[in-house]
Amino acid sequence: MTEGTASSSDSKSPSKSWEQRNPEIEREITIDEYNPKGTLTLTLLYLAIIVLMWVFMFFVEFGGNAPSIIG
Amino acid sequence: MTFIHKYPKAAKVSKANFIVAFIALAIGGFFGFIQALHRTDVFRGFVNSGEYYTLLTGHGVLLALIFTTFFIAGLFVWGVTRSLDREPENMAYTWSWFWLMVIGTVMAAFTILGGLVPDSSIRAAVLYTFYPPLQAHPAFYIGLAMVVVGSWMAAADWFWSYSKWRDDNPTERIPILSFMTLFTMLMWYVCTIGLAIEVVGLLIPWSLGWVVEIEPLLPRTLFWFFGHAVVYFWLLPAYYVWYAILPKLSGGRLFSDSMTRIVFIIFLLLSTPVGYHHQYADAGISVGFKFYAMATTMMLLLPSLMTLFTVIASMEHGAKQRGGKGYFAWISKLPWNNPAFVGCALAGIMFAAGGFSGMINAGMNINLLIHNTIWIPGHFHLTVGTAVALTFMAVTYWLLPQLTGRKLKFKTLALIQPYSWFLGMTLMSNAMHRAGLAGVPRRTAEPEFNTNAMNFEPIFGTMSEMKWQIAIGGTILLISLILFLWVVISSWMAGQKSEKPVDDHIPEPLSGVEHTPAILDNMKLWFALALILVVLAYSFPLWEMIQDGIFSPGALPRPS
């Protein structure tokens, strides 16, 4: 990716990764080490919420009321 | 060195686009504030109810069309220049599309604001959708057409840069920033075909008096051919920021290069053949075509969910590199004191909420519950008004130092701004959604539609409470907008100069381009497939509409 190297904040030491040059990074995590279990949990939580809300909309609002404004 | 020192010509173009975008944002945002107070009956002293529709048009056009288009142009000039490592090919050409868009904007804005001048014959109170039977001054349509043509020329400029870059790099993969830009603009070319036919072929001759009668359904259909895909023209640049910049701001890397490219390809394929989902309640269109639009709309949930996973995974990667742990505890390790990060993250959260109301809008049956109610503006204030607008404002805090060579000033105010926008929109939008469920209509200036006078029956809460949430939310949004403009203008004019005013490095993706199949870069293939899907969706119903003549009012529905 051209943009990564084109604007490196530390072009004098290109052998170091971005993580090694960034003081806020405690440890570099490679693709093999990374397990996005938090992401999976949040995604499943979101899906559960929207399914429940859709069921609420369909059975309580749509099933229980006539359409309000059409046209 | 930062962007302005390496690419001074492109930086100037980006800044010029941002200036126009922020002027439109300021005026359009102020109009929105007045609308919130007027329609809720909290304060009706700014305008009368007739002029309300002028402000409504100004709010929609200046924010949804002008702010977005100019900001996107500035963002893409930055991204293409940086990722291809080359300035625009011909600056005279580049400035020509910019000035064409500016002249078009001034013409359209002039006709809208003419509605505030008593007895003026120059008016354009036609709302954001601007289709018949509402009619504007011809200069309104001609001005908007110039903006669209200018955007086509801008896209051609980026394809020109890409073509030159390709000559020098025949075997390289398309850099990801340029890939996202080019696919967004391919989608824009496809969807604006409908708008061009509508405006040039129907509305301009009609507004000039060359055509006396016009059938409403055809221009309405052509508008929605464009009118939902334009949402993705706003949203994809926000995705661009979330994919390219947000992971770095989180302290990590983009999770997957190939996932990013696949998402943009799906949006190119499916953005346009979904327009009928805005016309579920329209007579004159077969249910089958509406069902086809519903199916393609629901399929668009797929790239949105892929984005949700990829962007959160990138953020989690950043948080874990900063010492975060567990299933949820890592969230606290994200940089919640960085305004650029906070704005993008809160915009993403709002978009997740907007995804739910979008699903309701897209369903053919359940759509009838909220059709033409204030639920709809509640929905697009989550998506366009927050997911897009807040992302654009937030990334400005990161881009502006690169474009001006000056450090950001008033960082505390800049940090308060996205939180306050989130708060204001939470109040306003949740009240709009709930009021919509109670049946409160949209597009009206009259306060009785927001109170108990019409005997609306909310599921919970009261109409009065919703009214005040909308007014207070709108006021907080105006304060947030003022904070944004104050920080931007102060930094632009008086920020401390620096060779490196911000860390502008973008790290490589965690799963890089070497894992991305080459076919994903085949623009001709995906563009051709997109056109085929559009033909499948639109050719037959459009043919039905023009059977009795393009301008014939014989087809239904026709206003009496």
Side-chain angles (χ1 to χ4, degrees), chain A residues 17-30:
Chain A
S17 71
W18 174 68
E19 282 82 359
Q20 289 169 321
R21 285 182 275 121
N22 190 329
E24 291 187 354
I25 305 297
E26 292 183 12
R27 68 186 184 98
E28 183 171 351
I29 300 173
T30 66

Side-chain angles (χ1 to χ4, degrees), chain B residues 448-469:
Chain B
E448 61 266 31
F449 293 120
N450 244 8
T451 67
N452 288 322
M454 294 289 286
N455 294 320
F456 294 114
E457 294 178 8
I459 298 294
F460 56 91
T462 65
M463 297 309 296
S464 175
E465 161 255 321
M466 291 178 209
K467 176 187 87 169
W468 278 102
Q469 280 202 52

Side-chain angles (χ1 to χ4, degrees), chain B residues 84-100:
Chain B
L84 301 180
D85 194 17
R86 58 191 307 135
E87 293 261 37
E89 301 308 313
N90 182 315
M91 291 313 297
Y93 175 78
T94 300
W95 284 112
S96 71
W97 60 253
F98 170 75
W99 284 111
L100 183 67

Side-chain angles (χ1 to χ4, degrees), chain A residues 1-4 6-9 17-19 21 24-31 34-39 41-43 46-47 50 53-54 57-58 61-62 67-71, chain B residues 6 82-83 175-177 251-253 255 308-309 312-313 316-317 320-323 327-328 330 352 356 360 365-366 369 371-373 375 437 439 441 459 503-506 508 510:
Chain A
M1 169 165 143
T2 310
E3 49 271 281
S7 295
S8 169
S9 60
S17 71
W18 174 68
E19 282 82 359
R21 285 182 275 121
E24 291 187 354
I25 305 297
E26 292 183 12
R27 68 186 184 98
E28 183 171 351
I29 300 173
T30 66
I31 184 86
Y34 182 46
N35 178 17
K37 59 184 182 184
T39 300
T41 312
L42 285 176
T43 306
Y46 174 67
L47 287 174
I50 60 171
M53 288 176 75
W54 194 89
M57 285 288 290
F58 192 88
E61 281 287 333
F62 187 69
S68 47
I69 294 167
I70 301 175
Chain B
K6 290 178 195 164
R82 175 191 169 116
S83 69
I176 191 79
L177 283 176
R253 294 168 180 268
F255 184 57
L308 180 124
F309 190 89
I312 296 178
E316 184 183 356
H317 179 251
K320 295 225 165 133
Q321 290 202 135
R322 296 161 69 99
Y327 286 92
F328 298 110
W330 56 270
F356 168 70
I360 302 301
N365 50 0
I366 202 165
L369 186 64
H371 197 90
N372 274 353
T373 70
W375 164 291
L437 285 181
I459 298 294
D503 176 9
D504 59 1
H505 172 69
I506 298 178
E508 302 287 332
L510 205 53

Side-chain angles (χ1 to χ4, degrees), chain B residues 219-231:
Chain B
R220 188 176 166 94
T221 303
L222 289 169
F223 180 85
W224 288 120
F225 178 104
F226 148 90
H228 196 83
V230 70
V231 171

